[in-house]
Amino acid sequence: MTAELGKGAREYTLEVPLDASGVEGFEPDHPVKVAVRDQKGTVTSHTVQLNAQGKGTARFPFPENPGRLTVAVGPGDAEDAELFGLQTLQANVPARRWTDDPRLALAPIRITAYYWHWWLRWCRWFTIRGRVVCPDGRPVPGAKVCAFDVDAWWWWSSKQLVGCDTTDATGAFEIKFRWCCGWWPWWWWQYRIWHLDPWLLEKIIPPLMREPRFPRIPLPDPPPNLRIFEHLLGRDDFAALNLKRLQTQAGAPVAPSKGAAGAEAAARGGVAATRPTAVNPEILAELREPLLRVLPKLPELEVLHIWPWWPWQPWWDCTPDIIFRVTQDCGGNQVIVDESYGDARWNIPTSLDVTLTAADTACCLVDDDGDPEGMCALLTNVCDDGINDIGGNPPHAPVTAVPVGYLNPGLASTVGDRPYAGRVLVQGQVGTDVDYYAFEYSSDDGATWNDLPVSAIGDIPRRYWIPATNTFQDVPFLGIVDGKLVFESRLHYETTHAPGDWGVVRFWMANNYFSLINWYTTAPFLNGPYRLRIKGWGLVGGNLVNETLLPVCSIAPLAELVLRIDNRIEGLGSGHPLADPNHPCGAGTVHTCTLEPDTDVLGVRIVRRNAFDIPTGEVVDVGACGNVPIGDHDLLQVDFIAHDPEGHLAKYTLQATYKENLARDLLAQPSVSLSPYLGPAPVPAAAQVGPTYTDALLTNPLPRATSPTWAGGAIRLEVLAREAFPETCCYQLELRAHKRTVVDCDHSLWGHINYTEYSFMVVVP
C-alpha cells in the first residue's frame, strides 16, 4: 500500500503565461524573468524568452501543494529579490486555487508597453574609476575604497553601500555596480538606517533659529519621527494629515538583518521576519506642502537637496548620489577619507572619474628619483624641514650672520629662529656603495668628534606593501654588526632580501624612506649648537670594511649638519621652587615645574580713578580668591612673569575667563598697555614686553630684541577694569607662555609651554 502511494504521488505545477503582444513594434530581443515566492519566503525563478508574437510560459513544479504564492514578472537581468521590491507586474495565487487538479494555469499576465520599455532602463550599470592620493599627490596603495549612495530628509541621513575596491600601486581603483529605481517605498525604506546628521543640523538650524515653533533637537540620535513637525504645523493641521497613516503597518517583509547583509539575504530570497518601520515614506509627499507654507524659503537648502525644500522620492531615484569612505590597514586600520552628505556628487553619470585626497595619516607610495652613486651621503632634511631653512647649513654656510642651527633663521615671527628638542629626525640618503652607516657629533664646532651614545640613537623602521596580500610590513634598520651599533642602508637591505622584486611585488612606502636616524637629544647633551656627520662602511664576510667619513654626493666637502638644541628640565633639578605656596607647581596644579618657560602672577590690583581718569591714590590689592568692587574709571593692574632663560620665548597670552565658556583677551582690549615690571621678582624685568617674538623684534620700544634671543621677563599689564570685567562674576586670569622650540618634530607651539591661573571675584556696579 505504501509503495502504491509513493508511486502515485502527484507533482504540482504552476503555469504562468506571458503576453506582450500588445506592445507596438514588439521585438523578442530581451528575456523576461518570472519569480515565485511561497509563504515561507522561498523564491524560485525562471527566465523566459518570448516568441515573435510576444508570448511565452514559465512553469514551476512543486513536490507538494505549495499553498499561497506570489508571482512577480520583470526584466531578465533582475535579481529575484528585486522583482518583489521593485514596482513590477505581480499576481497573488491564493491557496484555494489548488484543487484536485495538480496543474494550475494562471490567466496570461499582460506586459504593457509601459513596463516593456521601462524594464530596459530600470536597472543600469555604473562605473566609478579614480585614484586615492596623498595631499602632495603621491599615490595611496592598498586602500579599501567604498562608495555609498547617500540620502537625507530633514536632519536625518542614511547611506547605502554600492561597491568597494582596493587601490593598486598607482592609487587607482574601479567600482562597478548595478543601480535600480522604481522600488516600492516600504521596500526601499526598510534597508535604511537613519542617523541625526551634524552637517545637516548646521545647515537647517541657523536659518530657523528665529522660528518660534521650531522644535528642540531630539537627542541622543533618535530614529526619524514625524511628530517633530507637529510643533511647526500646529496640532490641528498636523492631526488633519491622519496620524495613523504616518506609521507603516506591520507585515511588510524584511530581511533578517539590516544594511548590506540584509540586502544580500533578501537577494537570496530569505525573508525571515516582519516589522513596522517608524515612518510611512509615502506620507512625506503630503507633508511637504503644509511644511513649505510655514517654513521660510531657503534656496540654499533646495540646492543641497534637503527635504522639504527639495522634493524627495528616493525610491524613484534612477541616478545615485555618491560619497566615499576609504580605509587603509597600514600601521592600524585608519579612515583616510570620510565624506558626508555635504560632499555628495549628485546624479552621477554612468561613468564617473574621481580623485580622492587622503588624510595625512595615509601611507603613501614613495616618490624616489634613485639613490646617489658612490661612497657618499646627502643630508637633506630635519623633521621634514629642509636644511637650507636651518641657519649654518647650505646655502647659509659658512655665513655667520644668520643664527646658526636655527630653523627659519632671522624670520621675525613666532615660528622664526626655532631650535630643536627631544627626538630629532635626520633625513637624507646614503650612496650606493654604503652598506652600513653611523653618526658622530661635535659640541665644539667640529674641533673634536665622538660617536653618538647608544641612548641617543633611535631606529628608523621603514614600511613596504605587498600587493598580493595587501599587507604592510615594517622593517627595522638599526642593529649590531661586527660589534658596532649601525644602520643598514636601504639599498643593502634590498639586495639581500629577494633581489629584483622591489617595485614589482613589494613597494616601499614614504614612511621613513628618506630617514637616516632618530636622534634623542636629551641628556647627556647640553643646550647649544651641535654638528653631526656621517661615516659609512661596506660589508665583506660579516665584517665592516672601508670605514669612510662620507662626503656630500658629487661634492667634495664632508656631509655635515649643524643644529641648535634646546631641551628643558622639569621637576627636581629644573631650578623651579617646588614648595612655594605663591608659585605652586606639579601634581594638583596646572603649572609645570620648569623655568623653560616659567609663568607666574606676581600681583593683581585695582587702581582707583575719578571721573576725570585721575588716580585717587587708592590701590586695592586683589588676592587669589579675593573679592573686589570696581568703578567705571578704575584700572586693572596685573604684574606677571613670562620668561625663558634660554631666550627662545615665542609668545604669551593672558585672558580672563568667566561665567560659562566666556573669555576676555586682555591683550586685545583697546586701553591695554604693557611695560617692564620693575618691582621685586625672581626674574629680570622684560627688556621687550612682547607679547610675541615679532613684537619683541620689530615693534617694542628700543632696545629691541636681537635675533634669535627674546627671554621675556617680568611685565606689567594695565587695562580699563570695565573692559576686562564686563559684569559681576568670578573671574580667572589664565596666563600661558610658549617657546619657539620644535619638540619631537612637532612644529606647533605647544611642545614647551607653561600655564598659570589666578581666580577672584569682581563686583561691577
Side-chain angles (χ1 to χ4, degrees):
M1 183 64 118
T2 302
E4 290 179 2
L5 285 174
K7 199 174 189 181
R10 296 182 298 177
E11 181 180 73
Y12 288 79
T13 303
L14 175 68
E15 293 184 0
V16 183
L18 306 173
D19 184 2
S21 60
V23 178
E24 184 177 354
F26 174 82
E27 294 289 341
D29 49 357
H30 297 287
V32 174
K33 178 178 277 191
V34 182
V36 174
R37 185 176 64 202
D38 64 21
Q39 53 196 357
K40 296 179 181 179
T42 303
V43 176
T44 306
S45 65
H46 290 304
T47 301
V48 178
Q49 185 68 52
L50 302 182
N51 60 24
Q53 290 74 42
K55 304 242 179 119
T57 301
R59 293 178 174 84
F60 296 88
F62 300 96
E64 58 185 16
N65 188 328
R68 176 170 54 85
L69 300 172
T70 302
V71 179
V73 181
D77 62 349
E79 300 289 341
D80 291 355
E82 291 174 347
L83 291 174
F84 296 97
L86 289 161
Q87 297 183 31
T88 54
L89 294 168
Q90 297 191 17
N92 292 317
V93 181
R96 65 177 180 274
R97 292 288 302 275
W98 298 100
T99 59
D100 293 337
D101 187 351
R103 177 180 173 274
L104 175 59
L106 302 182
I109 295 179
R110 298 184 63 82
I111 303 173
T112 64
Y114 169 80
Y115 281 99
W116 181 255
H117 293 294
W118 178 50
W119 287 349
L120 301 182
R121 64 181 189 276
W122 74 333
C123 292
R124 294 185 295 168
W125 282 93
F126 288 75
T127 301
I128 301 175
R129 299 182 182 91
R131 295 181 69 221
V132 182
V133 297
C134 283
D136 60 4
R138 290 176 296 174
V140 177
K144 184 179 180 181
V145 183
C146 291
F148 298 84
D149 172 68
V150 65
D151 285 288
W153 65 284
W154 198 241
W155 53 40
W156 290 285
S157 69
S158 177
K159 60 184 184 181
Q160 174 190 357
L161 178 68
V162 298
C164 298
D165 191 26
T166 301
T167 57
D168 63 14
T170 68
F173 65 91
E174 181 179 84
I175 298 172
K176 292 185 176 181
F177 64 96
R178 188 165 169 272
W179 184 259
C180 300
C181 56
W183 300 93
W184 295 109
W186 59 267
W187 181 276
W188 182 91
W189 191 274
Q190 70 179 336
Y191 296 120
R192 299 301 181 276
I193 301 175
W194 298 96
H195 300 280
L196 200 65
D197 191 305
W199 187 88
L200 288 168
L201 286 171
E202 291 179 2
K203 298 298 179 182
I204 293 174
I205 291 177
L208 298 181
M209 288 299 291
R210 292 185 296 272
E211 169 57 54
R213 292 175 294 177
F214 184 68
R216 294 175 60 86
I217 301 173
L219 296 172
D221 201 7
N225 190 331
L226 294 180
R227 282 190 174 276
I228 66 168
F229 299 112
E230 184 175 0
H231 298 272
L232 290 172
L233 296 178
R235 182 172 299 176
D236 293 340
D237 290 342
F238 185 74
L241 291 171
N242 188 357
L243 182 60
K244 292 182 179 179
R245 296 179 57 244
L246 298 181
Q247 309 298 327
T248 56
Q249 300 300 314
V254 296
S257 61
K258 297 179 180 179
E264 292 174 3
R268 295 192 298 269
V271 179
T274 62
R275 64 171 171 84
T277 57
V279 173
N280 178 0
E282 293 180 279
I283 201 65
L284 295 178
E286 297 181 36
L287 183 59
R288 180 171 179 256
E289 288 302 323
L291 282 175
L292 289 179
R293 287 195 292 268
V294 300
L295 291 171
K297 295 184 182 299
L298 298 172
E300 65 273 23
L301 299 188
E302 182 179 358
V303 170
L304 294 171
H305 294 199
I306 298 177
W307 181 92
W309 293 274
W310 175 266
W312 186 69
Q313 288 184 303
W315 40 89
W316 282 111
D317 187 359
C318 297
T319 51
D321 308 313
I322 295 298
I323 62 174
F324 293 92
R325 189 173 192 267
V326 183
T327 57
Q328 189 186 39
D329 192 5
C330 180
N333 197 23
Q334 300 280 343
V335 178
I336 57 175
V337 176
D338 194 11
E339 296 184 337
S340 66
Y341 182 83
D343 302 305
R345 297 153 185 83
W346 306 109
N347 299 322
I348 68 167
T350 54
S351 181
L352 175 67
D353 295 314
V354 299
T355 298
L356 305 177
T357 301
D360 292 336
T361 54
C363 290
C364 316
L365 204 66
V366 72
D367 183 12
D368 182 16
D369 294 330
D371 297 294
E373 297 288 335
M375 198 72 173
C376 61
L378 294 173
L379 300 179
T380 59
N381 296 82
V382 174
C383 293
D384 293 323
D385 304 317
I387 63 168
N388 57 321
D389 292 324
I390 301 173
N393 296 287
H396 306 293
V399 178
T400 59
V402 297
V404 173
Y406 288 89
L407 174 64
N408 302 326
L411 179 64
S413 166
T414 54
V415 293
D417 295 326
R418 306 192 68 180
Y420 291 85
R423 179 183 63 86
V424 174
L425 177 64
V426 180
Q427 298 156 295
Q429 293 174 280
V430 293
T432 54
D433 293 343
V434 179
D435 293 333
Y436 289 87
Y437 66 89
F439 277 86
E440 296 179 335
Y441 79 97
S442 172
S443 60
D444 54 10
D445 200 26
T448 58
W449 291 88
N450 301 282
D451 290 336
L452 283 175
V454 172
S455 62
I457 303 172
D459 199 2
I460 36 95
R462 295 183 175 94
R463 181 173 294 163
Y464 64 84
W465 171 61
I466 306 173
T469 57
N470 193 29
T471 55
F472 294 85
Q473 180 67 46
D474 287 334
V475 179
F477 279 81
L478 178 64
I480 296 178
V481 178
D482 196 13
K484 293 182 174 65
L485 184 64
V486 291
F487 289 91
E488 184 178 14
S489 72
R490 177 188 45 77
L491 188 59
H492 184 264
Y493 181 88
E494 290 179 7
T495 58
T496 56
H497 291 77
D501 67 357
W502 293 95
V504 179
V505 299
R506 288 185 289 184
F507 294 83
W508 289 109
M509 296 293 97
N511 306 67
N512 278 333
Y513 185 83
F514 291 109
S515 298
L516 294 175
I517 185 176
N518 271 312
W519 175 25
Y520 291 94
T521 66
T522 52
F525 301 100
L526 302 176
N527 292 344
Y530 286 85
R531 290 189 176 274
L532 293 181
R533 70 183 184 186
I534 187 169
K535 57 185 177 181
W537 296 267
L539 185 70
V540 177
N543 298 315
L544 297 176
V545 298
N546 190 26
E547 179 176 319
T548 303
L549 289 175
L550 300 181
V552 178
C553 297
S554 302
I555 305 176
L558 294 180
E560 290 188 11
L561 173 70
V562 58
L563 292 177
R564 176 76 181 203
I565 300 302
D566 180 13
N567 288 295
R568 74 177 185 181
I569 300 174
E570 298 179 12
L572 190 65
S574 68
H576 191 289
L578 301 183
D580 185 348
N582 294 317
H583 195 187
C585 67
T589 78
V590 298
H591 189 70
T592 303
C593 296
T594 184
L595 298 180
E596 302 180 45
D598 195 12
T599 57
D600 191 21
V601 173
L602 301 173
V604 177
R605 60 192 61 84
I606 298 296
V607 179
R608 303 293 187 197
R609 300 195 307 179
N610 61 25
F612 301 100
D613 293 334
I614 299 174
T616 65
E618 181 184 2
V619 177
V620 180
D621 289 317
V622 185
C625 300
N627 189 319
V628 62
I630 63 172
D632 290 340
H633 298 269
D634 292 347
L635 284 179
L636 167 68
Q637 198 174 80
V638 181
D639 297 330
F640 63 94
I641 291 172
H643 179 251
D644 176 37
E646 293 289 332
H648 295 147
L649 197 63
K651 66 176 184 177
Y652 60 83
T653 61
L654 181 59
Q655 64 177 2
T657 58
Y658 64 106
K659 213 166 183 178
E660 183 175 1
N661 301 331
L662 299 183
R664 281 292 175 102
D665 183 354
L666 300 187
L667 300 177
Q669 299 308 309
S671 66
V672 70
S673 67
L674 296 169
S675 60
Y677 172 60
L678 303 177
V683 299
Q688 301 86 27
V689 294
T692 69
Y693 184 49
T694 306
D695 296 318
L697 290 172
L698 300 179
T699 64
N700 283 175
L702 296 175
R704 292 177 183 157
T706 302
S707 170
T709 302
W710 176 47
I715 301 167
R716 169 167 288 181
L717 172 142
E718 286 189 337
V719 66
L720 190 62
R722 286 298 300 271
E723 289 180 359
F725 310 129
E727 59 183 286
T728 298
C729 197
C730 182
Y731 286 84
Q732 178 164 275
L733 299 182
E734 296 185 357
L735 171 66
R736 288 180 174 86
H738 305 251
K739 291 186 64 164
R740 304 191 303 274
T741 315
V742 177
V743 182
D744 296 331
C745 289
D746 180 359
H747 288 76
S748 72
L749 292 175
W750 291 86
H752 285 169
I753 183 176
N754 219 335
Y755 182 40
T756 291
E757 292 179 352
Y758 193 95
S759 302
F760 47 85
M761 182 71 186
V762 175
V763 179
V764 178

